[in-house]
Amino acid sequence: MKIVKENNKETENKTITNLLLNEADILVVSYNRKGEVTYISPVAERLIGYKSRKLLRNRWWDLTFFSKEESKLFKDKITETISGEREFNPKPYQRKLKCENEKEKWIEWRDSLSENKIVSVGIDITYWKKKEALKIQSDKILENVNSLIMVSNNKDEIIFSSPSIKKMLGYEVEEVMGDKWWDVTYDNKQEAVKTKEAINNYVNFNIKNFVDISKRKIKARNGEYKWIEWHISKGENDTYISVGTDITDRILTDIELKKAKESAEESLKVKNEFLANMSHEIRTPLNAIIGFTDLLLETKLTSEQKLHLETMQNSGEILLSLINDVLDLSKLESGKLETEVIPFNLHKQLNEVVRLMKIKAREKNISLNLEIDKNTPKQVIGDPTRLGQILLNLIGNAIKFTNKGSVTVSVKQLKESTNSTTVFFEIKDTGIGIVSNKINTVFGAFTQAKSDTSRIYGGTGLGLTIVKKLVSLLNGQITVESKFGKGSIFKFTLPLQKGSNKITVEEHDEELSMDKPLNLDVLLVDDNKTNQLLGKTRLERWGCNVDLANNGIEGVKKTQQKLYDVILMDIQMPIMDGYEATKIIKNDISEQVSKIPVIAMTAYTSKNDIKRAINAGMDDYIFKPFKPTEVYKLLKKYGKINEESNKAPEVIEKQLKFEPKKYINLKFIREETMNESSILALLIESFINDIDEFLEILDKGFKSKNWKLLHEATHKIKPSIRMFGISKLDQIIHDLVNRFREEKQLNNIDKRINLCNEILKDVKIELLTELKLLKNEQ
């Protein structure tokens, strides 16, 4: 009975133990002297999937190990420890078990040794093992990542930094923790404070300050500075995360590229300015050469004299063409040559070009033919000027290198769509041709087929280079075929838009006759004496009265004395240039003078110079050297020679009595200052300020009926009125001084004040004009 009770109690204790072990996820394994498993707690089924009885004896070693070698090592360790061959080690150890589903479980074991057996107690640490593996992996990633990762609290203190800070900036993690980051990486504490404020505003309120927090220059441990690009985001628990990337190389590369770009642009600018200045310097004397040649050709000449002058004229045209080619090539290379898209008659354009070139063809006794396919559209939209330039170059080239035979221009439509068309152009000649090994170089600058070509036929080799670039600019393509000794064929295609299909009556330009006198009063402003003589001679032949001015200041003064029909204004002049003179004429003298047409005469041909001339107030422009027909057309366009505006001399004379107004007389003040420009300018500036102050007091004093204040103001300005010779205002001011002093006759005083106001505003305009002129004289 006693034995039964003891057995029941033992069973009960065993059951309780098993329940506790099972609840606590504690795995207990008991080994005997042979290494066999004699007991496994029931939790084994929940942990690794096997029922306890399935793992008893040697099946534990077969089923829970991943390799036989590992299984044998552990079994030998157990048997050797129980037998005393190996010293018992009570320290915990970790081992993974193979589960029934082939997965693994990490168990931390603690062994206890008793007589003839070892009991191992294990706890599942798989979760922590995975977490540890993830941490190791994260640490490894953070160690190897190139970016710097930092976490800051709401006090801007660094609470975490990735190890990459060492590689990027040279600091140990400990050196930047807390507030030390701001001390070691910023020399300027004020800058650090501003950066903190900007970050807080961005993170907490999404407000971007003037301080750039996305890119910052950070001081490294070695004292050098590195550019770091930051991506900042809000973190958990009032933290923010900063991810920084070293962009120093990129910034330095950008700086070098910017410097290289600026250097290249400066070189290009210098080159373009040099070409523009050279063009100006060459065009100015060339204008005289061509202009005087034209004048001489209009006189009675012997046949020999006419031949020599025509040769001179042709030489001038060739030189001008060369200058234009060099400038066009420069503009094409710098991408500054602009195209236009306008409607034009393609057939008319082709016929005009061929008509022009037939003169040269006749000189060489060769025929020039134009063949236009009937399906080629007439009305198109594109750039007629550039198309004409391409054709003139190619046809001119063909004529130049053809000594006998013909040049044929063929044009046809290749394809069309609803709104566009592609036109094919072919220029075929029977000339000298191009040698096969040079055919691929004909479009290169300063290149000709043979070394003696330039000597025999002339030219620079620029024409075809310009043609190639112009065709590309117009989105076309050009090719060349040639056989040496037999001739060449240049082919190109251009895409054009279709123009209106409406039937239009084409207007043919009438032959311009320059026999009709213009009878204009013309002011010619030019600092070059040769150009003055040429212009005056040409204009007088057209019945014009011509006044000359050597610079802008003289030109302005002339317009103050006489009302002209047209002003021909050179742009580049000493003392005062044409731009400044035109601004004064158009804005500062009088309404009548501002209406005088101003035509710019310039040797500069850039679009910027033209734009600047128009912005200054010039009505039109003409390039030097200019043809007589071009000047005549402009004078006819802007001169007062029609019935509406052709006023009788007495009408103009009457206008001059009223325009421009003139209140000031600087005779006294010029005598007093011995005509010293700088002193005179200072006095005028001082008086202008006095006028502004006086007008302001006049307005306020009258509104408040403060007669005492008005008396003081009028009394104060009275001497200046006399000094500057403003006689029309002298009596008015004298009258106002008396009325304000006595405070009498004030009923109609407003009329006197308004008159004084108007006169002084006009006086101020006159003084400002004088001031501009004086400052340009200094």
Side-chain angles (χ1 to χ4, degrees), residues 513-529:
S513 172
M514 294 186 290
D515 297 332
K516 185 179 178 181
L518 294 173
N519 299 321
L520 298 173
D521 284 327
V522 180
L523 174 61
L524 176 60
V525 188
D526 198 315
D527 63 309
N528 186 288
K529 296 295 182 185

Side-chain angles (χ1 to χ4, degrees), residues 187-417:
D187 284 332
N188 189 327
K189 303 304 174 190
Q190 192 63 33
E191 188 183 348
V193 171
K194 286 181 180 178
T195 305
K196 287 181 189 179
E197 289 174 359
I199 291 171
N200 279 314
N201 284 333
Y202 176 71
V203 171
N204 297 316
F205 308 107
N206 201 27
I207 297 171
K208 290 185 178 180
N209 289 16
F210 291 111
V211 178
D212 187 5
I213 59 172
S214 63
K215 275 187 288 193
R216 281 179 280 152
K217 202 159 73 167
I218 300 296
K219 185 180 179 182
R221 200 175 193 281
N222 61 4
E224 293 180 359
Y225 286 87
K226 291 199 173 185
W227 280 97
I228 309 296
E229 187 173 61
W230 295 98
H231 295 278
I232 301 171
S233 58
K234 196 173 177 66
E236 298 293 329
N237 302 319
D238 285 337
T239 62
Y240 62 87
I241 301 160
S242 307
V243 180
T245 307
D246 185 355
I247 58 167
T248 307
D249 289 342
R250 191 177 86 197
I251 293 289
L252 292 176
T253 301
D254 288 346
I255 291 169
E256 289 302 314
L257 284 172
K258 188 180 178 183
K259 284 181 181 176
K261 182 173 177 284
E262 287 173 353
S263 176
E265 286 174 349
E266 184 61 30
S267 297
L268 186 62
K269 184 182 174 184
V270 169
K271 172 189 166 187
N272 289 338
E273 285 178 355
F274 171 75
L275 287 173
N277 287 329
M278 283 302 295
S279 166
H280 177 271
E281 293 304 317
I282 296 171
R283 281 171 183 272
T284 300
L286 193 58
N287 179 53
I289 293 167
I290 294 174
F292 280 114
T293 304
D294 287 336
L295 286 172
L296 284 170
L297 283 167
E298 291 172 13
T299 60
K300 289 182 179 180
L301 302 165
T302 66
S303 56
E304 186 181 3
Q305 288 171 333
K306 188 176 181 182
L307 177 64
H308 292 333
L309 285 169
E310 284 174 348
T311 304
M312 188 188 297
Q313 186 184 47
N314 187 47
S315 299
E317 296 289 348
I318 290 168
L319 183 56
L320 180 62
S321 175
L322 172 59
I323 295 165
N324 291 335
D325 281 350
V326 171
L327 285 175
D328 280 347
L329 183 61
S330 174
K331 288 176 186 175
L332 283 163
E333 286 177 343
S334 62
K336 289 185 177 179
L337 191 71
E338 296 181 12
T339 60
E340 58 183 354
V341 181
I342 59 171
F344 69 97
N345 186 316
L346 178 60
H347 289 217
K348 183 181 176 184
Q349 177 78 357
L350 291 165
N351 278 290
E352 283 181 354
V353 170
V354 170
R355 181 172 57 82
L356 280 171
M357 299 309 294
K358 274 190 174 181
I359 299 167
K360 290 194 173 185
R362 284 194 204 103
E363 288 174 359
K364 296 191 72 175
N365 293 318
I366 59 173
S367 61
L368 174 59
N369 307 307
L370 173 63
E371 298 172 358
I372 305 175
D373 185 80
K374 63 180 181 180
N375 293 320
T376 306
K378 284 187 177 181
Q379 297 298 326
V380 294
I381 299 170
D383 191 332
T385 305
R386 299 304 168 197
L387 173 59
Q389 197 174 354
I390 292 166
L391 290 168
L392 284 169
N393 264 296
L394 290 176
I395 297 169
N397 221 46
I399 291 169
K400 182 165 71 172
F401 295 111
T402 302
N403 294 319
K404 61 180 180 177
S406 64
V407 175
T408 304
V409 181
S410 304
V411 183
K412 65 179 179 180
Q413 180 176 257
L414 273 189
K415 57 182 179 180
E416 67 171 330
S417 64

